[in-house]
Amino acid sequence: MLLCFGDSNCWGWDPAGGRHAAALRWPDRLARRLGQPLHNLGQPGRTLAFNDAARGLVSARDQWQAALTAQPAYLVLALGINDLAAGGSPDGIGQALDSYLEDWQAAGRPGQLQLLAPAPIPALQGPWRNLFGHHSAQAPALLPLWQAAARHWRLACLDPSAMLGSSQDGLHWTAEAHGAIAQALGDAFAGASVGPAEGAG
């Protein structure tokens, strides 16, 4: 089984409105590439740790811990950008990522895990600009934190920024971007080797 745990881009939010068809979403495309059944736990507004419930931004830590009990063969964690909108600092968001990886280790390190890093969001439009406000300028600071976590935990980490192009709202991904991301994740899974985390016993 492939388990994808993420936010609105994992869910398949279409920047033109509505939701991409299942066949176009990166989790579905990746599942086909891997020949695995899919459990897509993407949810709009989901964060790692920081909450602003009035604006629909809610931490998914409990759901993540529950999801790990499914013992997937493949796992993609694709969260973090919404924590900025909820007021989290980059350092705090990086610490939240580490807590999710600690949960993964405590669950027995199920499956091959990849991190899908948050992408910069320089040209937000409409309500998304209001949602993130000045916090959007901090988005580029997240990638180095994801890459550091990946090195520590001996994980693959995909930076999607070069694959995204432009979209109508500046936050959500086009069908073409979904395809490129699925291809890159599939290539990384094909070449992945999972080792112990630094300092792990």
Side-chain angles (χ1 to χ4, degrees):
M1 179 183 71
L2 166 66
L3 192 153
C4 298
F5 195 91
D7 52 26
S8 56
N9 277 313
C10 182
W11 181 80
W13 193 295
D14 186 343
R19 188 181 189 187
H20 288 299
L24 301 178
R25 302 172 202 150
W26 69 259
D28 296 80
R29 292 180 176 193
L30 179 58
R32 291 196 300 272
R33 165 81 182 273
L34 298 174
Q36 293 285 323
L38 172 65
H39 192 21
N40 185 349
L41 292 181
Q43 179 65 46
R46 179 171 278 167
T47 69
L48 287 167
F50 294 88
N51 293 287
D52 187 341
R55 298 195 296 164
L57 302 169
V58 180
S59 170
R61 180 79 181 275
D62 290 345
Q63 292 90 340
W64 168 250
Q65 292 169 338
L68 292 173
T69 66
Q71 296 288 308
Y74 300 91
L75 178 59
V76 181
L77 178 58
L79 285 177
I81 198 68
N82 287 332
D83 290 82
L84 286 175
S89 68
D91 285 345
I93 298 168
Q95 291 167 10
L97 174 63
D98 281 333
S99 72
Y100 275 60
L101 299 178
E102 289 165 1
D103 291 338
W104 174 69
Q105 178 161 286
R109 298 170 66 91
Q112 293 186 48
L113 171 61
Q114 284 197 57
L115 304 179
L116 180 53
I121 43 174
L124 295 176
Q125 303 297 319
W128 310 114
R129 182 183 300 172
N130 294 331
L131 180 68
F132 280 83
H134 68 277
H135 299 296
S136 63
Q138 297 178 295
L142 297 178
L143 176 61
L145 299 173
W146 259 244
Q147 292 171 328
R151 288 191 298 270
H152 175 77
W153 291 91
R154 305 287 200 271
L155 299 172
C157 177
L158 178 65
D159 171 11
S161 56
M163 307 172 197
L164 300 183
S166 60
S167 75
Q168 290 176 247
D169 65 12
L171 179 63
H172 298 106
W173 303 340
T174 64
E176 291 76 14
H178 278 258
I181 289 165
Q183 180 68 38
L185 289 169
D187 290 347
F189 273 128
S193 62
V194 178
E198 293 176 12

